[in-house]
Amino acid sequence: MTTKAVRYNEFGGIDVLRIDEVERPEPGREQVLVRVKAAGINPSEAVIRTGALVDMFPSAFPSGQGSDLAGVIEEVGAGVGGFSPDDEVIGFSNNRAAQAELVLVEVGDLVHKPEHVSWAVAGGLYVVGVTAWGAVNSVHLEPGDTVVISGAAGGVGSLAVQLAHRTGATVIGLASEDNHEWLRSHGVLPVAYGDGVGDRIRTAAPGGVDAFIDTYGSGYVELALALGVATERIDTIADYAAAAKYGVKTDGGSEAGPGAEILAELARLIADGQLELPIANSYPLTQVREAYTELERRHTRGKIVLTP
Ligand SMILES: NC(=O)c1ccc[n+]([C@@H]2O[C@H](COP(=O)([O-])OP(=O)(O)OC[C@H]3O[C@@H](n4cnc5c(N)ncnc54)[C@H](OP(=O)(O)O)[C@@H]3O)[C@@H](O)[C@H]2O)c1
């Protein structure tokens, strides 16, 4: 029996992506086979696909793609406890395999999906969720602090602003005008990026800026330093060259802590209405190229997901 999966056979642009018919995976020991309902897409996947990160993330071809997924358990392998066929789950693949109809997931990389979390939100939650968690924790916010977050309405940013706000800190979110109302509705002070952004931040934060989380790159580390933020309270997940040059933090998903535990807590907050992950768009799996075309414009509010 075969099943559909996103694949590419060489490094390149969006046009190397295709949908292949592949053998139905069989769950091994402590593995679970999940029928995917939604799978998020992330900017790093597009960069890996170009081959630009081949030293850090080697690829074997044909390569699959994707970490984020949510779906219904089809079959469980030997030694799996706590999960059964037909359970609704959220999880992640460490094998770049999530963008497919059927995905093998290690049982430790799955959590149960709360009823009141939509498939799209569940399927887009893992990478941006744990990254936002790690980034916000890294700058040690307290009530009375003011933190600036760039890319404030993107996948990571939209969750980071809300997690930062929950600490009691004042949150300034850098975003284009279209996102300002959404940010205000989540207790965030919106500031437009572009020429003069430093002056606009100083006006919005007359008492100064204590911390800076950069989810976009392109000069925000330098801006944070110019605003007088201490290096240990600047975190960038997008500009590793600036981090190396100035000694600021790069904490993201890898530093956040146990992925499944954080995923479960984020899903609980969403189910309780305490956290929102906006869904900008959903595409059928067969339109994976169109989905990445939209993502690579880099103006997504929240997440884009594929729905196999
Ligand atoms: N280290 C890690 O663990 C880790 C994990 C995940 C992601 N990342 C990295 O983090 C970055 C963000 O990922 P993401 O999924 O959040 O991306 P994303 O959803 O594509 O981010 C899009 C956001 O960027 C904003 N933006 C566009 N131009 C901007 C500018 N000049 N200044 C400020 N913001 C601007 C957009 O805001 P407007 O729509 O308002 O223009 C949009 O909200 C990527 O570089 C990704 O590779 C790292």
Side-chain angles (χ1 to χ4, degrees):
M1 208 205 306
T2 62
T3 177
K4 288 186 173 48
V6 172
R7 287 279 186 275
Y8 54 96
N9 258 332
E10 58 185 318
F11 290 129
I14 283 171
D15 54 349
V16 302
L17 291 171
R18 11 173 263 251
I19 305 296
D20 273 5
E21 286 291 333
V22 300
E23 284 299 308
R24 178 188 191 275
E26 294 297 329
R29 191 168 176 77
E30 296 186 4
Q31 287 185 326
V32 174
L33 186 64
V34 179
R35 182 164 292 280
V36 177
K37 292 279 197 181
I41 67 172
N42 290 284
S44 58
E45 294 147 9
V47 183
I48 290 170
R49 191 196 61 230
T50 66
L53 301 178
V54 66
D55 292 339
M56 234 187 307
F57 300 105
S59 293
F61 297 117
S63 173
Q65 191 169 252
S67 304
D68 300 335
L69 66 103
V72 179
I73 293 182
E74 184 92 352
E75 193 182 334
V76 298
V80 169
F83 292 93
S84 310
D86 297 331
D87 284 1
E88 298 187 345
V89 290
I90 317 179
F92 50 98
S93 159
N94 286 315
N95 298 320
R96 293 182 220 156
Q99 294 167 13
E101 290 176 329
L102 287 170
V103 179
L104 279 183
V105 185
E106 303 302 318
V107 66
D109 299 341
L110 280 180
V111 302
H112 285 101
K113 182 183 86 65
E115 192 186 336
H116 296 296
V117 177
S118 71
W119 283 118
V121 167
L125 186 56
Y126 174 69
V127 169
V128 292
V130 295
T131 305
W133 186 282
V136 170
N137 282 349
S138 76
V139 297
H140 303 294
L141 297 174
E142 293 179 358
D145 280 343
T146 296
V147 58
V148 177
I149 301 183
S150 64
V156 179
S158 62
L159 292 178
V161 292
Q162 297 173 76
L163 294 173
H165 185 250
R166 290 173 61 79
T167 69
T170 297
V171 184
I172 294 175
L174 306 185
S176 60
E177 201 70 46
D178 283 352
N179 288 315
H180 285 197
E181 196 43 50
W182 184 86
L183 289 167
R184 269 190 216 101
S185 72
H186 288 77
V188 178
L189 281 170
V191 166
Y193 55 74
D195 284 351
V197 63
D199 290 338
R200 287 191 291 279
I201 292 171
R202 286 183 190 94
T203 304
V209 176
D210 304 291
F212 201 113
I213 297 171
D214 169 35
T215 79
Y216 189 75
S218 304
Y220 286 111
V221 170
E222 287 84 352
L223 174 64
L225 293 165
L227 290 166
V229 183
T231 51
E232 68 272 17
R233 297 196 78 192
I234 301 173
D235 188 62
T236 180
I237 58 162
D239 191 344
Y240 294 95
K245 185 167 174 189
Y246 299 109
V248 306
K249 292 182 168 176
T250 56
D251 286 12
S254 310
E255 295 76 14
E261 276 176 38
I262 297 167
L263 188 55
E265 174 62 7
L266 291 166
R268 188 190 66 77
L269 290 171
I270 290 170
D272 288 353
Q274 297 185 58
L275 190 67
E276 183 201 353
L277 178 59
I279 298 299
N281 222 335
S282 297
Y283 289 86
L285 190 69
T286 49
Q287 288 183 16
V288 61
R289 292 181 182 182
E290 287 82 350
Y292 277 93
T293 301
E294 181 178 339
L295 179 84
E296 290 180 30
R297 289 191 198 113
R298 301 306 307 276
H299 291 292
T300 308
R301 181 190 298 169
K303 290 301 298 177
I304 297 170
V305 298
L306 299 171
T307 51

